[in-house]
């Protein structure tokens, strides 16, 4: 019984002292970078569509339905 407890204690000590955690900080930085870059891309597309595409689109739709047939 004592040898099993000692064995379990040694195994636990090895697991806790190991450096096998694979880059949690690196993964967090990658996720943060992808979120920031995605937000910038969405902001750019929103600006592009808001200032360039949508005004001409609404004008074309108004012209299409405002015919004097």
């Amino acid at each position: 019984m004592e040898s099993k407890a000692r064995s379990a204690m040694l195994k636990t000590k090895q697991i806790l002292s190991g450096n096998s955690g694979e880059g949690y900080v690196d993964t967090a930085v990658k996720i943060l970078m992808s979120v920031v870059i995605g937000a910038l891309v969405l902001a750019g597309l929103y600006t592009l569509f808001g200032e360039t595409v949508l005004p001409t689109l609404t004008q074309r739709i108004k012209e299409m339905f405002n015919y004097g047939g």
Side-chain angles (χ1 to χ4, degrees):
M1 185 75 159
E2 187 177 323
S3 66
K4 285 185 179 181
R6 189 177 302 250
S7 167
M9 187 171 56
L10 288 174
K11 191 173 185 181
T12 304
K13 188 175 181 180
Q14 285 178 343
I15 290 172
L16 290 177
S17 67
N19 294 347
S20 66
E22 186 179 321
Y24 289 111
V25 175
D26 294 341
T27 304
V29 169
K30 288 177 188 176
I31 291 171
L32 185 62
M33 284 174 47
S34 64
V35 167
V36 169
I37 291 172
L40 289 173
V41 168
L42 284 176
L45 286 173
Y46 182 75
T47 304
L48 175 71
F49 275 90
E51 294 177 1
T52 306
V53 176
L54 287 179
T56 58
L57 183 65
T58 56
Q59 179 184 0
R60 287 181 182 177
I61 290 172
K62 285 181 182 177
E63 288 174 357
M64 184 171 58
F65 287 106
N66 189 17
Y67 61 93

